Amino acid sequence: LEKGFIREMIPRRDGGITFVGKARSDDPNVPKNTLFVGALKANGTPLYSFGRLGRAVNPLQSVWGSAVGIDRAPGGKFFVAGNFREENDAWRSLVYRIHIDGSVDDSFHTYTSSASSTSRQRISDIAVDREGRAIVTGTYRPNRKTTRILVMRFESGGKLDRSFGQGGRVLLGANGRRDNRGTTVVPLGNGRILLSGEVPSPLNPPS
């Protein structure tokens, strides 16, 4: 990237890599920071057959944002997770799936979270379990005084898996605390999930 950063990358079957992160632009007519998914050949040069000149098609063209995680999906595809906001709007999260050529997989309904003046959501990591389901973790803020560790699981078509938690979501961490945050998710066998994150110290009372 000329400007921006790479957040995560995974090897491709052809010996190259697919990576995600954030691209920056000085063009006043486009968002300054945008989601970025790119691919490189094994020799480190751009894979121009991937998306548009080595950059995957972005399902949200005119928003600020950053891709934070990528993992393999069944059929040689990739799940991508990120966070975005429109001008003067709250941060929201999204999950989508792309083909190996960088085009958006329309058979997976792109997920975008809702937001209000007080509630918002951000994703930190994404992983895929043995059944091919995408699982994400991050932070959900229901109000200005509370953040919760967020875990969500998706069905193969992109809808939240209603058999998981409450409506496809699990919220962890004490109410009334602003220091809860999920950072990493690792699917295990038999439907189990390993999480890492941050929770407030019991020695520090809520403000």
Side-chain angles (χ1 to χ4, degrees), residues 12 14-19 37-56 78 100-102:
R12 296 174 60 89
D14 56 12
I17 62 169
T18 302
F19 60 92
V37 183
L40 299 177
K41 298 178 182 179
N43 63 4
T45 59
L47 181 62
Y48 289 118
S49 61
F50 180 80
R52 298 170 182 164
L53 298 178
R55 180 171 180 166
F78 301 100
I100 195 170
D101 65 358

Side-chain angles (χ1 to χ4, degrees), residues 34-107:
T34 55
L35 296 145
F36 189 95
V37 183
L40 299 177
K41 298 178 182 179
N43 63 4
T45 59
L47 181 62
Y48 289 118
S49 61
F50 180 80
R52 298 170 182 164
L53 298 178
R55 180 171 180 166
V57 176
N58 190 337
L60 301 175
Q61 295 290 338
S62 58
V63 298
W64 289 52
S66 174
V68 299
I70 184 171
D71 203 357
R72 286 190 182 86
K77 304 174 184 179
F78 301 100
F79 283 115
V80 179
N83 302 294
F84 71 96
R85 69 177 178 88
E86 297 177 289
E87 188 174 0
N88 300 321
D89 197 5
W91 281 98
R92 300 162 62 187
S93 58
L94 82 158
V95 177
Y96 62 103
R97 191 168 64 197
I98 60 175
H99 294 285
I100 195 170
D101 65 358
S103 61
V104 175
D105 180 7
D106 292 329
S107 68

Side-chain angles (χ1 to χ4, degrees), residues 136-142 146-152 164-165 169-185 193-200:
V136 302
T137 189
T139 304
Y140 173 66
R141 194 188 83 171
T146 301
T147 60
R148 308 288 300 278
I149 294 174
L150 170 72
V151 188
M152 298 190 298
F164 179 77
R169 303 196 316 166
V170 173
L171 298 176
L172 305 170
N175 278 314
R177 301 303 298 264
R178 293 179 290 183
D179 305 320
N180 299 294
R181 184 168 73 95
T183 57
T184 306
V185 58
I193 299 171
L194 181 65
L195 292 172
S196 69
E198 300 174 8
V199 294

